[in-house]
Structure formats: C-alpha cells, structure tokens
RNA sequence: CGGGGCGUGGCGCAGUCCGGUUAGCGCGCUUGAUUUGGGUUCAAGAGGUCGGUGGUUCAAAUCCACUCGCCCCGACCA
C-alpha cells in the first residue's frame, strides 16, 4: 500500500505528489547540514565512532584489503616517524644501537620457553609453504623477537667483556587478533623492541626501569601524555617475563591504555637459548635479559588523549605540520601582495627549523581553518590584506578553540612568537590531559567504592598481587589491574578482596 | 569466537517490509562564473555489475541460502 502510494507520488501530479516533494526537499536540507558540519561524530555521542572518524578525516590511515590490517597514510606515518625519531634518539642516548632481525622464526624457537609459547601460540601466523613446497619446519611470523634474538645473543655472548648487549630494532610484528581497531589493535603493527643482556639481575633491572622512564618521558615530553609507571600484576605479565612494567595513560573516555612495556625476563630466555658468559671468576653464568617495546598504538593514545570534536589536536613536537599559514584575499591584486608576505613569513618560520606549510589551495579560508583543525595543526598563521597593510598577522592556537585562541600580532618577531606558542600549546595539552586524568583517579579502600569509581574513571585500591583477585574484579566490574604504580604513598592496608595486609595500591580501570 | 547492528558512486544515506520502466538525494570530485578574516553561491558535468556467490522468479538492491567485510557489546591482547 505504502509503496504504491509513493509510486503514485513519484509519477503523479496533484496534492500528494507535491507533498512528497516538499517533504523530500526538506529532508535534503537536513542531510546537507548534517553532512557538512558533522563529518566527525561528537566525542560525547560515541567515542569509538569519533575515533574512527578522526582517523579518516585527518587522513591518517585507511583500512587495508586484509582484515584487521591498516594502511598508514603519509600524514599518519609522518606522525609515527616523528614519534619514532624522538624515541630513537633517546635510545641512542642511553647507549643502544639499532639492528635488524628476521621476520620468520622457526616454530621450535618459540617452543623453547614454555610460558612464551603458551602466551603467543593463540595469535601466531604460521608459514607452512615456501616456494610451493611444504616446509620441514613451519615458520612463525614474529609476534615479538625474544626467541630469535635470544638465539643470536647465545652465539654472540661468550665473555663478561661482551656484556651488556644493548640492541634495539624497529620492525613490525603480527598477532592474529580477533577484534581490531586502527592503531590500537591491528594484526600487523609497527613498533620497536629493545633487547638487552646483562651480567647481573641488578643491572638488568636498572635497564628495565631506565627504559620505562624513557617511555614515560617520551610520552609526556613529546606526546604531551601523562602516564603512570608501575609494575604489572602477576596475571598481566608478559609471557615469559619474571616481571613486567608498564606506562598507563587515561584516554578521553576515561579508559586506560597501556602505552609501553618493559620486561625483566630474568634468566628465562637465557636458560632456554643458553645465553651464557664466562665470568671473571672463570665460571660460566647465565645472562639476565630484558625487553621493552612501544608501538604505533601511541598514535592512538595521542588521538584519544588530546582530540576534540573538531578532530585531532597534535602535540607540537610530533605534529607533521607545526604551523600552517592561511592566506586570505579577495582578488588577484590582494592575492599577490598577501602571498608576497605569506611567502616571506613561510621562509622565516622554515628557516627557524619548524615544520611549516603555506596552504595555497583554491579554497576559502574558512574551509582551510576547519581542514587544518581536523588535522590537529597546533598553530595557524592568517595573513590577509589588513595584515599586509598593518605588518601584522593573526595567530590561532589549536588547543584553545575559536576566537579565544586567536590573537593579532605584529609580523616583527612573529617567528619567536610562534616558537613560544608551540611550547605553550604543548604545555597546555599536557596540563589539560593531566588535570583530566587526576580528576578521574580516586583512592578507594573498599570493593564497593572500587565498583563505583571504575564505572567512570580509575581507582587506586589496595589489593594483593594475586591472579584470583584480578580475575574476580575483572569479572565483576570489567575493570582490570593496570599496574601497581611506582610512585605511591607508603602504608599498609587490607586487600579489598582478600582482607590480607598489603603495602601497595593498584590502579584499576576499564582498558583498551 | 558468542550476542546485536550494518554493507547501495570517494563519504553519509533513502529505497528493501509488500520484487516491476533509465536506482535517487546531500557532501565531495570536474568545468565555468561568483565568493573569500570561520565549512560561499549558482550552473553544467563525471561517477554505481546495490559487498560476493548461488538459488527462487517472466523479472531481484528488494525474497531465500551461504559467504566476506565493517561497527557496537562480551571472552583474549601492545
């Protein structure tokens, strides 16, 4: 009946038809407004949808033809490169060298460390055919490189003089994930793995904590993300580690994201791969090894920590474009004078070593403002005819939206102003993220309190480091034990589950 | 892997219930004008084997089966 009526509307004239078209036209107007102004789902409406929208609109990544894999586009990759370069510099400063290890790992290697193979076998991709022939021994696509690197270290380390071995490798690994999300959990992900071997456990522990500190510094100094360093609970440890440490960050939806890990591997891999050295006392000893990693997941953290309804807000130090110049003009005469100024300013900013872009596209200024805001560019310089006449410029900062973040400044000293502003934007983003996080972490002393707090934030609760405790809390609240923060007040409390006396609080929250 | 939702030009959707002419709309794209200090406006264009496969039918975007993918919620993870 209804379809018939519509058909009649389409074909026919008369009152019904007119009403149909009127209604249709009205609907179109709404659609237009919607699609124009809301390319990005508001963060408050649907955080997950917002996250995906931002990645698409900021031109960071695209879905690959293979399930669970992404293509990182130039804008996203540039961000990754900047992050990587900062980290790499820090690794070099702490005495590490880069090297490369194979993508393929003999299955037997993974099986040498019992916990390790147990932990990783569910998510292994395994190559069984090569060159058209069935392989004698299947090759795992590396899910991480402890085993293959361990096997090499066993060959390289003979004497105490060979220690420590301090190597890092930038690569990608594959883990067969059930549920994926761009940057946060993809089947293949890019990261770095540091692998070190030491003569003593003390030295290894020093390394583990040093690198955890490097990650924490990188997160706050370069990514403007405050993190909580701590020790993972027994149930959250890396497969094959004696101890795992992590940095945990709070995202804009108050969920936790593990942004980096550092493992004390004890002598587990040394034993499995016979990484031994002859000590000064002429006895053969097992090494102590560590590993630590940080992945492109950190980009997800940057998006989810700083982003707003307009899109990305990038920390200046890692932003692919730190300053964008938008020229404003009405006609060719204005255009040439505006561009003359804009190009001069562009050169000055570039000469100062900043990543600057002059947007010479044939679009309206308003369009460009929104476009670059979506991409998270920290500072925008506007040059129009009035500015040319007044030797001035408009400066807008991405961390403060709208007119409040706009100022009008003289062209003289503009570069210095921009440099100062970039630092301010960084500080402001870090400050905003820290304030948000701190406002949403609460100390609790009972299980009831924890249940309430983790509904909308993190809870710091005294608990025993016991897998059963973690499991119970997780099952009943969906919140997980993120870590036992390194920095916390000393004291003695009762575990909120077991009632046993404990000396530490753990951080609980719903996590990615 | 379980529960739910969705696959229709690059993006967002209508049409599917109840099968029937050349499958529409907005954004985006191209061209030309117009505009330009916060997503200009107008005109003319280009662009779609309706996720895929098989079936039912004179006829399938529409019905049926299978399959693939995406999103959300649970079990596992950087």
């Amino acid at each position: 009946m209804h379809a018939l009526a519509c058909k009649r509307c389409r074909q026919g004239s008369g009152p019904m038809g007119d009403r149909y078209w009127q209604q249709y036209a009205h609907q179109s107007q709404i659609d237009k407004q919607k699609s124009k102004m809301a390319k990005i789902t508001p963060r408050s409406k649907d955080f997950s949808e917002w996250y995906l929208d931002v990645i698409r609109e900021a031109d960071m990544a695209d879905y690959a033809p293979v399930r669970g894999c992404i293509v990182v586009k130039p804008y996203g990759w540039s961000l990754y490169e900047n992050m990587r370069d900062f980290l790499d510099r820090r690794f070099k400063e702490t005495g590490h060298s880069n090297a490369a290890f194979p993508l393929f790992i003999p299955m037997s290697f993974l099986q040498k460390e019992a916990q390790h193979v147990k932990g990783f076998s569910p998510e292994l991709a395994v190559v069984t055919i090569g060159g058209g022939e069935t392989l004698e021994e299947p090759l795992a696509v590396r899910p991480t490189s402890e085993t293959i690197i361990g096997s090499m270290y066993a060959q390289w380390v003979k004497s105490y003089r060979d220690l420590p071995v301090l190597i890092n490798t930038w690569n990608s690994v594959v883990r067969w994930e059930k549920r994926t999300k761009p940057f946060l959990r993809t089947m293949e992900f890019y990261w770095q793995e540091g692998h070190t071997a030491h003569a003593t456990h003390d030295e290894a522990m020093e390394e583990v904590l040093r690198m955890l500190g490097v990650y924490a510094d990188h997160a706050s100094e370069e990514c403007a993300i405050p993190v909580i360093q701590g020790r993972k609970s027994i149930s959250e440890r890396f497969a094959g580690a004696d101890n795992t440490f992590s940095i945990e960050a709070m995202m804009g939806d108050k969920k936790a994201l593990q942004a980096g890990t550092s493992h004390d591997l004890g002598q587990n891999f040394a034993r499995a791969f016979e990484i031994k050295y002859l000590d000064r006392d002429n006895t053969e000893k097992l090494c102590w090894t560590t590993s630590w990693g940080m992945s492109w997941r950190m980009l997800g953290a940057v998006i989810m920590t700083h982003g707003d309804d307009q899109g990305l807000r990038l920390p200046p130090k890692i932003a692919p474009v730190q300053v964008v110049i938008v020229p404003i003009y009405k006609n060719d005469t204005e255009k040439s004078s505006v561009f003359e100024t804009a190009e001069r300013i562009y050169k000055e900013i570039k000469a100062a070593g900043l990543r600057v872009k002059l947007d010479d596209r044939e679009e309206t200024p308003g369009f460009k403002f929104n476009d670059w805001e979506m991409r998270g560019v920290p500072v925008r310089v506007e040059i129009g005819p009035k500015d040319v006449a007044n030797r001035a410029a408009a400066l807008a900062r991405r961390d403060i939206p709208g007119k409040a973040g706009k100022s009008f400044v003289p062209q003289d000293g503009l570069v210095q102003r921009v440099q100062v502003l970039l630092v301010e934007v960084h500080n402001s983003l870090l400050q905003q993220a820290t304030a948000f996080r701190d406002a949403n972490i609460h100390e609790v002393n009972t299980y009831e309190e924890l249940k309430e707090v983790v509904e909308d934030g993190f809870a710091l609760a005294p608990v025993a480091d016991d897998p059963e405790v973690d499991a119970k809390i997780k099952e009943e609240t969906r919140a997980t034990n993120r870590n036992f923060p390194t920095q916390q007040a000393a004291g003695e409390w009762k575990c909120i589950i077991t009632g046993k006396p404990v000396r530490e609080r753990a951080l609980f929250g719903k996590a990615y």
Side-chain angles (χ1 to χ4, degrees), chain A residues 154-451:
Chain A
Q155 295 177 45
W156 298 344
V157 176
K158 297 296 171 202
S159 150
Y160 70 91
R161 293 181 222 272
D162 298 327
L163 296 173
V165 183
L166 304 172
I167 291 179
N168 175 67
T169 183
W170 289 95
N171 62 20
S172 71
V173 293
V174 168
R175 296 180 189 177
W176 216 259
E177 297 290 349
K178 304 261 159 94
R179 198 169 142 193
T180 59
K181 189 168 243 184
F183 295 117
L184 298 181
R185 186 171 301 104
T186 47
M187 295 231 299
E188 181 191 14
F189 60 91
Y190 280 70
W191 72 341
Q192 56 69 217
E193 314 177 43
H195 293 271
T196 68
H198 307 266
T200 66
H201 183 238
D202 282 353
E203 211 183 284
M205 272 307 296
E206 205 178 297
E207 170 78 2
V208 167
L209 296 177
R210 178 187 301 120
M211 299 324 285
L212 188 72
V214 162
Y215 289 153
D217 282 352
H218 168 67
S220 66
E221 294 306 308
E222 278 115 42
C223 303
I225 297 175
V227 295
I228 295 168
Q229 302 182 49
R231 187 189 84 254
K232 280 287 189 185
S233 65
I234 291 167
S235 66
E236 297 276 335
R237 269 180 202 155
F238 174 74
D242 278 359
N243 252 315
T244 287
F245 298 80
S246 71
I247 55 171
E248 302 284 334
M250 182 186 281
M251 303 295 99
D253 58 354
K254 301 175 195 171
K255 282 172 79 173
L257 187 80
Q258 177 175 310
T261 52
S262 188
H263 313 291
D264 166 18
L265 301 174
Q267 294 181 309
N268 302 331
F269 287 88
R271 200 173 296 114
F273 290 90
E274 300 185 310
I275 310 172
K276 297 174 189 167
Y277 68 99
L278 204 54
D279 206 351
R280 290 175 179 79
D281 61 6
N282 203 35
T283 62
E284 195 172 58
K285 292 177 182 168
L286 280 177
C287 286
W288 298 82
T289 65
T290 82
S291 68
W292 25 275
M294 187 178 241
S295 77
W296 70 17
R297 172 181 261 197
M298 195 65 191
L299 301 189
V302 168
I303 299 168
M304 292 194 293
T305 300
H306 303 305
D308 64 15
D309 284 354
Q310 308 303 316
L312 282 178
R313 294 198 304 169
L314 293 177
K317 288 182 193 172
I318 58 170
V321 177
Q322 296 169 305
V323 184
V324 65
I325 301 172
V326 177
I328 295 154
Y329 50 86
K330 286 196 187 71
N331 48 51
D332 282 352
T333 319
E334 282 185 2
K335 183 177 178 178
S336 65
S337 69
V338 162
F339 262 88
E340 198 183 309
T341 302
E343 277 166 11
R344 195 191 78 238
I345 288 171
Y346 169 82
K347 281 179 194 158
E348 287 172 11
I349 296 175
K350 195 175 172 65
L354 298 177
R355 295 186 289 275
V356 57
K357 182 167 180 68
L358 171 56
D359 190 348
D360 58 1
R361 290 179 296 175
E362 296 290 330
E363 300 283 358
T364 61
F367 176 89
K368 292 178 182 175
F369 296 165
N370 286 285
D371 195 41
W372 291 109
E373 277 169 9
M374 224 149 50
R375 288 171 162 73
V377 174
V379 171
R380 180 178 72 236
V381 178
E382 302 168 19
I383 307 284
K386 291 179 204 162
D387 302 306
V388 173
N390 303 334
R391 291 194 58 80
L395 264 186
R397 51 191 293 179
R398 181 64 179 89
D399 60 314
I400 302 176
K403 278 196 176 149
K406 219 158 164 174
S407 59
F408 300 90
V409 302
Q411 287 170 21
D412 290 334
L414 182 67
V415 176
Q416 288 70 28
R417 263 174 212 280
V418 166
Q419 283 171 320
V420 169
L421 190 51
L422 287 170
V423 173
E424 280 179 21
V425 171
H426 170 89
N427 292 339
S428 159
L429 289 175
L430 180 60
Q431 187 271 325
Q432 287 177 42
T434 306
F436 178 79
R437 181 195 65 176
D438 292 347
N440 290 292
I441 299 184
H442 305 284
E443 281 195 1
V444 301
N445 291 303
T446 66
Y447 190 28
E448 287 308 312
E449 286 177 287
L450 179 138
K451 282 179 179 170

Side-chain angles (χ1 to χ4, degrees), chain A residues 57-83:
Chain A
E57 292 303 323
D59 212 26
M60 291 181 75
D62 209 342
Y63 289 106
V66 181
R67 179 188 81 83
C69 294
I70 57 170
V71 172
V72 179
K73 299 176 80 172
Y75 196 73
W77 189 257
S78 173
L79 196 55
Y80 178 69
E81 281 179 333
N82 291 336
M83 184 197 98

